[in-house]
Amino acid sequence: MKGFVLAGTRSGIGKTTVSMGLMAAFENVSPFKVGPDYIDPSFHKFMTGNKSYNLDLFLMGEEGVKYSFSKHQKDISIVEGVMGLYDGLGNSLDNYSTAHLARVLDLPVVLVVDAIGKSTSIAAEVLGYKNLDPRVKIAGVIINRVSSEKLYEMLKEAIEEYTKVPCLGYLRKNEELGISSRHLGLLQADEVQNLEEKKEMLKQEIKKTIDLEKIKQIANLNRTFEGEDIFKNLENLYNGLKVGVAKDKAFSFYYEDNLELLNKMGVELLEFSPIDDKCIPDVDVLYFGGGYPENYLEELSKNNEFKNSLKSFHEKGGVIYGECGGFMYLTKGIKTLDEKFYSMADLVDCSIKMTGKLLISRFGYVDLSYEKLTGRAHEFHYSTIDEVGNDKREFKLLKKDGREWLCGYKNKNLLAGYPHLHFFKNIDILKKILEGVKKCHI
């Protein structure tokens, strides 16, 4: 078994660029992403040809991340970290950070550091990351944005002399290697021009300046990793149930493990497009995930045939679940920054207003309660609920600092809200949604 975590000293260090380059350079990679991010995994898939899976200790629990990591191993597993190595929820070292994840999975860490403005002090930086938690195995360093080979050799000498951590190579400073940023962090993979060219350029750069053989040695774990099948009791529980999944350029944010868990439960998944299709598929449940509906308002608003089909399904008691972007689509409509209003599905009695900035008061991990059930979720949105009607709100959300609020609108068999749910820590809520289908349909 081979695997390692690629971590950064901070956000914006370039670990995503380095991760993509390494994923392209190695063969048969199983890519993973620490945290709740939906964007990076789409790039991982492009670089490797394999699906990328999130590893999130808060949303999935220790057994959940072990199960996913074990299930999806290939020749070499590359786990891209999130934020800085130790950044998580609060200042505990058990804070769901990249370092915490590396300890749980007992994986070596390759640390990405920035060369800009550095000399011997770069050794102090690496030493601090090494010593903060000795349980974290920092096995190597890659230096990013290096202006010359001579500078790299000087930085390498300082790091190796004062920290005893080996340098594995560098990536030169080159703006053409990066990916343009946008409000959720990065553009989606299918929106980046010339991504195939960037992939090949990154691959060649990595092969020239990074020691892949050394990384293979570091990644050689000399063990097998088998996570317990924690969902064995759910196998084929809903045989015959059909779930339609909204999948197009407006709706693309789904955890791969969520979809695979539904399959394990016996559910048949059918994809549909609220932009292009004229009617909903013949299913028992409709699942509207997150995405960028705000970027396709005209197409979504004009597709009245689809919206009429959706309304008919709802009126007949069909089960609908929506989160974040999917929730936004299910409301009366969305108002843009310039106050232009676009009508949407009109199944939730409220409307949405784009804000142009992250709604920081609702951002991040939350504990969630729904009726008598409890779970965990994550919020990240650049819009807010504008006009609120009479639909009852079912989710009570609580942050670690004590802030709480209500979301999760209920209308007949429809449930939708801003929170993103990873099903691993929300099994009872998932079963509650699926069991809304009349028993004769199951």
Side-chain angles (χ1 to χ4, degrees), residues 60-121:
M60 301 165 67
E62 286 195 14
E63 293 307 309
V65 299
K66 288 177 180 178
Y67 169 82
S68 183
F69 185 73
S70 172
K71 182 181 177 186
H72 301 117
Q73 293 170 56
K74 297 189 184 298
D75 288 354
I76 184 168
S77 299
I78 300 179
V79 182
E80 182 189 345
V82 63
M83 300 187 291
L85 176 60
Y86 293 104
D87 297 330
L89 187 61
N91 290 324
S92 161
L93 293 179
D94 293 334
N95 61 349
Y96 316 109
S97 64
T98 301
H100 187 186
L101 186 280
R103 284 196 286 108
V104 167
L105 294 179
D106 193 23
L107 292 176
V109 173
V110 173
L111 186 68
V112 179
V113 297
D114 194 353
I116 301 295
K118 302 281 178 58
S119 181
T120 310
S121 294

Short mmCIF file of all heavy atoms in Angstrom, two decimals, residues 60-121:
data_model
loop_
_atom_site.label_atom_id
_atom_site.label_comp_id
_atom_site.label_asym_id
_atom_site.label_seq_id
_atom_site.Cartn_x
_atom_site.Cartn_y
_atom_site.Cartn_z
N MET A 60 -17.74 12.92 8.72
CA MET A 60 -17.76 11.48 8.48
C MET A 60 -17.38 10.65 9.70
O MET A 60 -17.70 9.47 9.76
CB MET A 60 -16.80 11.14 7.33
CG MET A 60 -17.12 11.83 6.03
SD MET A 60 -15.76 11.75 4.81
CE MET A 60 -15.70 10.00 4.44
N GLY A 61 -16.67 11.25 10.67
CA GLY A 61 -16.18 10.50 11.81
C GLY A 61 -14.96 9.67 11.46
O GLY A 61 -14.64 9.46 10.29
N GLU A 62 -14.23 9.20 12.48
CA GLU A 62 -13.02 8.43 12.23
C GLU A 62 -13.31 7.15 11.45
O GLU A 62 -12.59 6.81 10.51
CB GLU A 62 -12.32 8.08 13.57
CG GLU A 62 -11.63 9.26 14.22
CD GLU A 62 -10.67 8.83 15.31
OE1 GLU A 62 -10.35 7.62 15.39
OE2 GLU A 62 -10.23 9.71 16.09
N GLU A 63 -14.35 6.45 11.84
CA GLU A 63 -14.66 5.20 11.14
C GLU A 63 -15.08 5.47 9.69
O GLU A 63 -14.80 4.67 8.80
CB GLU A 63 -15.77 4.44 11.88
CG GLU A 63 -15.35 3.92 13.25
CD GLU A 63 -14.07 3.10 13.18
OE1 GLU A 63 -13.99 2.18 12.35
OE2 GLU A 63 -13.14 3.40 13.97
N GLY A 64 -15.73 6.60 9.47
CA GLY A 64 -16.14 6.96 8.11
C GLY A 64 -14.97 7.23 7.19
O GLY A 64 -14.95 6.76 6.05
N VAL A 65 -13.97 7.99 7.67
CA VAL A 65 -12.82 8.28 6.81
C VAL A 65 -11.98 7.03 6.58
O VAL A 65 -11.44 6.81 5.50
CB VAL A 65 -11.96 9.46 7.35
CG1 VAL A 65 -12.77 10.74 7.42
CG2 VAL A 65 -11.32 9.14 8.68
N LYS A 66 -11.88 6.17 7.60
CA LYS A 66 -11.15 4.91 7.42
C LYS A 66 -11.85 4.02 6.40
O LYS A 66 -11.20 3.39 5.56
CB LYS A 66 -11.02 4.19 8.77
CG LYS A 66 -10.05 4.85 9.73
CD LYS A 66 -10.03 4.11 11.07
CE LYS A 66 -9.06 4.76 12.05
NZ LYS A 66 -9.07 4.09 13.37
N TYR A 67 -13.16 3.98 6.47
CA TYR A 67 -13.95 3.18 5.52
C TYR A 67 -13.75 3.67 4.10
O TYR A 67 -13.47 2.89 3.18
CB TYR A 67 -15.43 3.26 5.91
CG TYR A 67 -16.40 2.71 4.88
CD1 TYR A 67 -16.66 1.34 4.80
CD2 TYR A 67 -17.07 3.57 4.01
CE1 TYR A 67 -17.56 0.85 3.87
CE2 TYR A 67 -17.97 3.09 3.09
CZ TYR A 67 -18.21 1.72 3.01
OH TYR A 67 -19.10 1.23 2.08
N SER A 68 -13.84 4.99 3.89
CA SER A 68 -13.72 5.54 2.54
C SER A 68 -12.30 5.37 2.00
O SER A 68 -12.10 4.98 0.85
CB SER A 68 -14.11 7.03 2.53
OG SER A 68 -14.05 7.55 1.22
N PHE A 69 -11.30 5.66 2.85
CA PHE A 69 -9.91 5.55 2.41
C PHE A 69 -9.59 4.10 2.04
O PHE A 69 -8.95 3.83 1.02
CB PHE A 69 -8.98 6.05 3.51
CG PHE A 69 -7.53 6.09 3.09
CD1 PHE A 69 -7.07 7.05 2.21
CD2 PHE A 69 -6.62 5.15 3.58
CE1 PHE A 69 -5.73 7.09 1.82
CE2 PHE A 69 -5.28 5.17 3.20
CZ PHE A 69 -4.84 6.15 2.31
N SER A 70 -10.02 3.17 2.87
CA SER A 70 -9.76 1.76 2.60
C SER A 70 -10.45 1.29 1.33
O SER A 70 -9.85 0.58 0.51
CB SER A 70 -10.26 0.92 3.79
OG SER A 70 -10.20 -0.45 3.51
N LYS A 71 -11.67 1.70 1.13
CA LYS A 71 -12.48 1.23 0.01
C LYS A 71 -11.94 1.70 -1.34
O LYS A 71 -12.07 1.00 -2.35
CB LYS A 71 -13.92 1.72 0.19
CG LYS A 71 -14.89 1.28 -0.89
CD LYS A 71 -16.27 1.84 -0.62
CE LYS A 71 -17.23 1.46 -1.73
NZ LYS A 71 -18.55 2.12 -1.57
N HIS A 72 -11.30 2.87 -1.38
CA HIS A 72 -10.98 3.50 -2.66
C HIS A 72 -9.48 3.53 -2.99
O HIS A 72 -9.06 4.27 -3.87
CB HIS A 72 -11.55 4.92 -2.69
CG HIS A 72 -13.04 4.96 -2.51
ND1 HIS A 72 -13.64 5.57 -1.43
CD2 HIS A 72 -14.04 4.42 -3.25
CE1 HIS A 72 -14.95 5.43 -1.52
NE2 HIS A 72 -15.22 4.74 -2.60
N GLN A 73 -8.68 2.72 -2.32
CA GLN A 73 -7.24 2.70 -2.59
C GLN A 73 -6.93 2.13 -3.98
O GLN A 73 -7.56 1.19 -4.43
CB GLN A 73 -6.53 1.81 -1.56
CG GLN A 73 -6.55 2.34 -0.15
CD GLN A 73 -6.04 1.30 0.81
OE1 GLN A 73 -4.93 0.82 0.66
NE2 GLN A 73 -6.84 0.94 1.80
N LYS A 74 -5.94 2.75 -4.62
CA LYS A 74 -5.41 2.22 -5.88
C LYS A 74 -3.89 2.06 -5.73
O LYS A 74 -3.44 1.76 -4.62
CB LYS A 74 -5.79 3.14 -7.03
CG LYS A 74 -7.32 3.24 -7.24
CD LYS A 74 -7.69 3.96 -8.50
CE LYS A 74 -9.21 4.11 -8.61
NZ LYS A 74 -9.90 2.78 -8.69
N ASP A 75 -3.11 2.27 -6.76
CA ASP A 75 -1.66 2.03 -6.66
C ASP A 75 -1.00 2.99 -5.67
O ASP A 75 -0.09 2.61 -4.94
CB ASP A 75 -1.00 2.16 -8.03
CG ASP A 75 -1.33 0.98 -8.93
OD1 ASP A 75 -1.97 0.02 -8.46
OD2 ASP A 75 -0.96 1.04 -10.12
N ILE A 76 -1.43 4.24 -5.68
CA ILE A 76 -0.92 5.21 -4.71
C ILE A 76 -2.03 6.20 -4.37
O ILE A 76 -2.73 6.68 -5.25
CB ILE A 76 0.34 5.94 -5.24
CG1 ILE A 76 0.91 6.88 -4.17
CG2 ILE A 76 0.05 6.71 -6.53
CD1 ILE A 76 2.31 7.41 -4.50
N SER A 77 -2.22 6.45 -3.08
CA SER A 77 -3.25 7.38 -2.62
C SER A 77 -2.61 8.73 -2.31
O SER A 77 -1.66 8.80 -1.54
CB SER A 77 -3.94 6.84 -1.35
OG SER A 77 -4.58 5.62 -1.61
N ILE A 78 -3.14 9.79 -2.93
CA ILE A 78 -2.66 11.15 -2.67
C ILE A 78 -3.80 11.93 -2.05
O ILE A 78 -4.87 12.10 -2.66
CB ILE A 78 -2.17 11.83 -3.96
CG1 ILE A 78 -1.02 11.03 -4.59
CG2 ILE A 78 -1.72 13.27 -3.66
CD1 ILE A 78 -0.49 11.61 -5.88
N VAL A 79 -3.58 12.39 -0.82
CA VAL A 79 -4.61 13.11 -0.06
C VAL A 79 -4.23 14.58 -0.02
O VAL A 79 -3.24 14.95 0.62
CB VAL A 79 -4.73 12.56 1.38
CG1 VAL A 79 -5.83 13.28 2.14
CG2 VAL A 79 -4.97 11.05 1.36
N GLU A 80 -5.00 15.41 -0.70
CA GLU A 80 -4.73 16.86 -0.64
C GLU A 80 -5.35 17.45 0.61
O GLU A 80 -6.53 17.27 0.89
CB GLU A 80 -5.30 17.58 -1.86
CG GLU A 80 -4.98 19.07 -1.83
CD GLU A 80 -5.69 19.89 -2.91
OE1 GLU A 80 -6.22 19.29 -3.85
OE2 GLU A 80 -5.69 21.13 -2.77
N GLY A 81 -4.54 18.18 1.37
CA GLY A 81 -5.00 18.79 2.61
C GLY A 81 -5.88 20.01 2.38
O GLY A 81 -6.17 20.40 1.25
N VAL A 82 -6.27 20.62 3.50
CA VAL A 82 -7.10 21.82 3.45
C VAL A 82 -6.46 22.89 4.35
O VAL A 82 -5.91 22.58 5.40
CB VAL A 82 -8.55 21.52 3.91
CG1 VAL A 82 -8.59 21.05 5.36
CG2 VAL A 82 -9.46 22.72 3.71
N MET A 83 -6.50 24.14 3.91
CA MET A 83 -5.91 25.27 4.65
C MET A 83 -4.48 24.95 5.06
O MET A 83 -3.77 24.24 4.34
CB MET A 83 -6.80 25.64 5.85
CG MET A 83 -8.22 26.03 5.47
SD MET A 83 -9.21 26.64 6.85
CE MET A 83 -9.44 25.17 7.83
N GLY A 84 -4.04 25.45 6.21
CA GLY A 84 -2.72 25.10 6.73
C GLY A 84 -2.79 23.75 7.43
O GLY A 84 -3.88 23.30 7.84
N LEU A 85 -1.65 23.09 7.59
CA LEU A 85 -1.60 21.74 8.13
C LEU A 85 -2.40 21.56 9.41
O LEU A 85 -3.12 20.56 9.57
CB LEU A 85 -0.13 21.34 8.37
CG LEU A 85 0.14 19.99 9.02
CD1 LEU A 85 -0.41 18.85 8.17
CD2 LEU A 85 1.63 19.81 9.27
N TYR A 86 -2.31 22.51 10.34
CA TYR A 86 -2.96 22.36 11.64
C TYR A 86 -4.27 23.14 11.77
O TYR A 86 -4.86 23.17 12.85
CB TYR A 86 -1.99 22.80 12.75
CG TYR A 86 -0.80 21.88 12.89
CD1 TYR A 86 0.45 22.26 12.40
CD2 TYR A 86 -0.91 20.64 13.50
CE1 TYR A 86 1.56 21.43 12.53
CE2 TYR A 86 0.20 19.80 13.62
CZ TYR A 86 1.42 20.18 13.13
OH TYR A 86 2.50 19.35 13.25
N ASP A 87 -4.73 23.78 10.69
CA ASP A 87 -5.93 24.62 10.77
C ASP A 87 -7.19 23.76 10.73
O ASP A 87 -7.36 22.93 9.83
CB ASP A 87 -5.96 25.61 9.61
CG ASP A 87 -4.79 26.58 9.64
OD1 ASP A 87 -4.32 26.87 10.76
OD2 ASP A 87 -4.35 27.03 8.57
N GLY A 88 -8.07 24.00 11.71
CA GLY A 88 -9.32 23.27 11.77
C GLY A 88 -10.33 24.02 12.60
O GLY A 88 -10.37 25.25 12.60
N LEU A 89 -11.14 23.28 13.33
CA LEU A 89 -12.20 23.87 14.14
C LEU A 89 -11.66 24.10 15.55
O LEU A 89 -11.58 23.18 16.36
CB LEU A 89 -13.41 22.93 14.16
CG LEU A 89 -14.69 23.44 14.81
CD1 LEU A 89 -15.22 24.68 14.10
CD2 LEU A 89 -15.76 22.34 14.80
N GLY A 90 -11.24 25.32 15.84
CA GLY A 90 -10.65 25.62 17.13
C GLY A 90 -9.16 25.30 17.16
O GLY A 90 -8.57 24.92 16.16
N ASN A 91 -8.55 25.45 18.33
CA ASN A 91 -7.09 25.32 18.46
C ASN A 91 -6.63 24.00 19.07
O ASN A 91 -5.44 23.82 19.31
CB ASN A 91 -6.54 26.49 19.28
CG ASN A 91 -6.62 27.80 18.51
OD1 ASN A 91 -6.44 27.82 17.31
ND2 ASN A 91 -6.91 28.88 19.22
N SER A 92 -7.53 23.09 19.33
CA SER A 92 -7.12 21.76 19.76
C SER A 92 -6.39 21.08 18.62
O SER A 92 -6.61 21.37 17.44
CB SER A 92 -8.36 20.94 20.15
OG SER A 92 -8.09 19.56 20.14
N LEU A 93 -5.50 20.15 18.94
CA LEU A 93 -4.85 19.38 17.88
C LEU A 93 -5.78 18.30 17.32
O LEU A 93 -5.51 17.73 16.27
CB LEU A 93 -3.55 18.76 18.40
CG LEU A 93 -2.45 19.77 18.75
CD1 LEU A 93 -1.21 19.05 19.28
CD2 LEU A 93 -2.08 20.63 17.54
N ASP A 94 -6.88 18.03 18.02
CA ASP A 94 -7.93 17.14 17.51
C ASP A 94 -9.06 18.00 16.96
O ASP A 94 -10.18 18.00 17.47
CB ASP A 94 -8.45 16.21 18.61
CG ASP A 94 -7.40 15.23 19.08
OD1 ASP A 94 -6.49 14.90 18.29
OD2 ASP A 94 -7.49 14.77 20.24
N ASN A 95 -8.75 18.77 15.92
CA ASN A 95 -9.67 19.80 15.44
C ASN A 95 -10.13 19.55 14.00
O ASN A 95 -10.51 20.48 13.30
CB ASN A 95 -9.02 21.18 15.55
CG ASN A 95 -7.75 21.29 14.71
OD1 ASN A 95 -7.22 20.29 14.21
ND2 ASN A 95 -7.25 22.50 14.54
N TYR A 96 -10.10 18.30 13.55
CA TYR A 96 -10.55 17.91 12.21
C TYR A 96 -9.68 18.49 11.11
O TYR A 96 -10.11 18.61 9.96
CB TYR A 96 -12.03 18.31 12.00
CG TYR A 96 -12.92 17.99 13.18
CD1 TYR A 96 -13.44 19.00 13.98
CD2 TYR A 96 -13.19 16.68 13.50
CE1 TYR A 96 -14.24 18.70 15.08
CE2 TYR A 96 -13.99 16.37 14.60
CZ TYR A 96 -14.51 17.39 15.38
OH TYR A 96 -15.29 17.08 16.47
N SER A 97 -8.45 18.85 11.44
CA SER A 97 -7.52 19.45 10.48
C SER A 97 -6.87 18.38 9.60
O SER A 97 -7.06 17.17 9.80
CB SER A 97 -6.43 20.22 11.22
OG SER A 97 -5.66 19.31 12.00
N THR A 98 -6.03 18.84 8.67
CA THR A 98 -5.25 17.92 7.85
C THR A 98 -4.32 17.08 8.72
O THR A 98 -4.18 15.87 8.51
CB THR A 98 -4.43 18.71 6.81
OG1 THR A 98 -5.33 19.46 5.98
CG2 THR A 98 -3.61 17.79 5.94
N ALA A 99 -3.67 17.71 9.71
CA ALA A 99 -2.78 16.97 10.61
C ALA A 99 -3.55 15.91 11.39
O ALA A 99 -3.07 14.78 11.56
CB ALA A 99 -2.11 17.96 11.58
N HIS A 100 -4.72 16.25 11.86
CA HIS A 100 -5.57 15.31 12.61
C HIS A 100 -5.91 14.11 11.71
O HIS A 100 -5.81 12.95 12.12
CB HIS A 100 -6.84 16.04 13.06
CG HIS A 100 -7.72 15.25 13.97
ND1 HIS A 100 -8.95 15.70 14.38
CD2 HIS A 100 -7.56 14.02 14.54
CE1 HIS A 100 -9.50 14.81 15.17
NE2 HIS A 100 -8.69 13.78 15.29
N LEU A 101 -6.28 14.39 10.47
CA LEU A 101 -6.62 13.33 9.51
C LEU A 101 -5.41 12.44 9.25
O LEU A 101 -5.52 11.20 9.21
CB LEU A 101 -7.13 13.96 8.22
CG LEU A 101 -7.70 13.12 7.07
CD1 LEU A 101 -6.64 12.48 6.22
CD2 LEU A 101 -8.71 12.10 7.55
N ALA A 102 -4.23 13.04 9.07
CA ALA A 102 -3.01 12.26 8.82
C ALA A 102 -2.72 11.32 9.99
O ALA A 102 -2.27 10.18 9.79
CB ALA A 102 -1.83 13.20 8.58
N ARG A 103 -2.97 11.77 11.21
CA ARG A 103 -2.75 10.92 12.38
C ARG A 103 -3.75 9.76 12.42
O ARG A 103 -3.38 8.62 12.69
CB ARG A 103 -2.87 11.74 13.67
CG ARG A 103 -1.67 12.61 13.96
CD ARG A 103 -1.67 13.09 15.40
NE ARG A 103 -2.66 14.12 15.66
CZ ARG A 103 -3.77 13.96 16.37
NH1 ARG A 103 -4.06 12.78 16.89
NH2 ARG A 103 -4.59 14.96 16.58
N VAL A 104 -5.02 10.06 12.14
CA VAL A 104 -6.05 9.03 12.17
C VAL A 104 -5.75 7.92 11.16
O VAL A 104 -5.92 6.73 11.45
CB VAL A 104 -7.44 9.65 11.91
CG1 VAL A 104 -8.49 8.56 11.62
CG2 VAL A 104 -7.88 10.49 13.11
N LEU A 105 -5.28 8.31 9.97
CA LEU A 105 -4.98 7.32 8.94
C LEU A 105 -3.53 6.85 8.97
O LEU A 105 -3.13 6.01 8.16
CB LEU A 105 -5.31 7.90 7.56
CG LEU A 105 -6.78 8.19 7.28
CD1 LEU A 105 -6.96 8.78 5.88
CD2 LEU A 105 -7.63 6.93 7.43
N ASP A 106 -2.75 7.42 9.88
CA ASP A 106 -1.33 7.07 10.02
C ASP A 106 -0.59 7.20 8.69
O ASP A 106 0.12 6.29 8.25
CB ASP A 106 -1.20 5.64 10.57
CG ASP A 106 0.22 5.33 11.04
OD1 ASP A 106 0.97 6.28 11.35
OD2 ASP A 106 0.59 4.13 11.07
N LEU A 107 -0.73 8.37 8.07
CA LEU A 107 -0.12 8.65 6.77
C LEU A 107 1.02 9.66 6.93
O LEU A 107 0.92 10.61 7.71
CB LEU A 107 -1.14 9.22 5.80
CG LEU A 107 -2.26 8.29 5.32
CD1 LEU A 107 -3.24 9.07 4.45
CD2 LEU A 107 -1.69 7.11 4.55
N PRO A 108 2.11 9.50 6.17
CA PRO A 108 3.17 10.51 6.15
C PRO A 108 2.69 11.79 5.48
O PRO A 108 1.80 11.74 4.61
CB PRO A 108 4.28 9.84 5.34
CG PRO A 108 3.58 8.87 4.45
CD PRO A 108 2.40 8.38 5.24
N VAL A 109 3.28 12.90 5.86
CA VAL A 109 2.90 14.21 5.32
C VAL A 109 4.05 14.78 4.50
O VAL A 109 5.19 14.81 4.96
CB VAL A 109 2.54 15.19 6.46
CG1 VAL A 109 2.31 16.60 5.90
CG2 VAL A 109 1.31 14.71 7.22
N VAL A 110 3.73 15.23 3.30
CA VAL A 110 4.67 16.01 2.50
C VAL A 110 4.20 17.46 2.60
O VAL A 110 3.05 17.78 2.23
CB VAL A 110 4.70 15.54 1.03
CG1 VAL A 110 5.55 16.48 0.19
CG2 VAL A 110 5.22 14.11 0.95
N LEU A 111 5.05 18.32 3.11
CA LEU A 111 4.67 19.71 3.41
C LEU A 111 5.11 20.64 2.27
O LEU A 111 6.28 20.64 1.87
CB LEU A 111 5.33 20.15 4.72
CG LEU A 111 4.94 21.52 5.28
CD1 LEU A 111 3.48 21.52 5.73
CD2 LEU A 111 5.86 21.89 6.45
N VAL A 112 4.18 21.44 1.78
CA VAL A 112 4.48 22.44 0.75
C VAL A 112 4.75 23.78 1.44
O VAL A 112 3.92 24.26 2.23
CB VAL A 112 3.31 22.59 -0.25
CG1 VAL A 112 3.63 23.67 -1.30
CG2 VAL A 112 3.02 21.26 -0.93
N VAL A 113 5.92 24.36 1.17
CA VAL A 113 6.28 25.66 1.73
C VAL A 113 6.55 26.64 0.59
O VAL A 113 6.84 26.24 -0.53
CB VAL A 113 7.50 25.57 2.67
CG1 VAL A 113 7.20 24.70 3.87
CG2 VAL A 113 8.71 25.03 1.92
N ASP A 114 6.46 27.91 0.89
CA ASP A 114 6.58 28.96 -0.12
C ASP A 114 7.99 29.55 -0.09
O ASP A 114 8.51 29.90 0.98
CB ASP A 114 5.55 30.05 0.17
CG ASP A 114 5.37 31.02 -0.99
OD1 ASP A 114 6.13 30.93 -1.96
OD2 ASP A 114 4.46 31.86 -0.91
N ALA A 115 8.60 29.67 -1.27
CA ALA A 115 9.97 30.20 -1.35
C ALA A 115 10.02 31.73 -1.34
O ALA A 115 11.07 32.31 -1.05
CB ALA A 115 10.64 29.70 -2.63
N ILE A 116 8.91 32.39 -1.63
CA ILE A 116 8.92 33.84 -1.79
C ILE A 116 9.39 34.54 -0.51
O ILE A 116 8.85 34.32 0.57
CB ILE A 116 7.52 34.36 -2.19
CG1 ILE A 116 7.05 33.73 -3.50
CG2 ILE A 116 7.52 35.89 -2.28
CD1 ILE A 116 7.88 34.10 -4.70
N GLY A 117 10.41 35.37 -0.64
CA GLY A 117 10.91 36.17 0.48
C GLY A 117 11.61 35.37 1.56
O GLY A 117 11.73 35.84 2.69
N LYS A 118 12.09 34.17 1.24
CA LYS A 118 12.67 33.31 2.26
C LYS A 118 14.16 33.09 2.03
O LYS A 118 14.66 33.08 0.90
CB LYS A 118 11.98 31.94 2.24
CG LYS A 118 10.49 31.96 2.46
CD LYS A 118 10.12 32.14 3.92
CE LYS A 118 8.61 32.22 4.09
NZ LYS A 118 7.92 31.04 3.58
N SER A 119 14.84 32.86 3.14
CA SER A 119 16.23 32.40 3.13
C SER A 119 16.32 31.34 4.23
O SER A 119 15.48 30.45 4.29
CB SER A 119 17.18 33.57 3.35
OG SER A 119 18.52 33.12 3.31
N THR A 120 17.28 31.47 5.13
CA THR A 120 17.46 30.47 6.18
C THR A 120 16.23 30.33 7.07
O THR A 120 15.97 29.26 7.64
CB THR A 120 18.69 30.83 7.04
OG1 THR A 120 19.80 31.10 6.17
CG2 THR A 120 19.05 29.69 7.98
N SER A 121 15.43 31.39 7.17
CA SER A 121 14.23 31.35 8.01
C SER A 121 13.24 30.27 7.58
O SER A 121 12.39 29.86 8.37
CB SER A 121 13.53 32.71 7.99
OG SER A 121 14.32 33.69 8.60
#
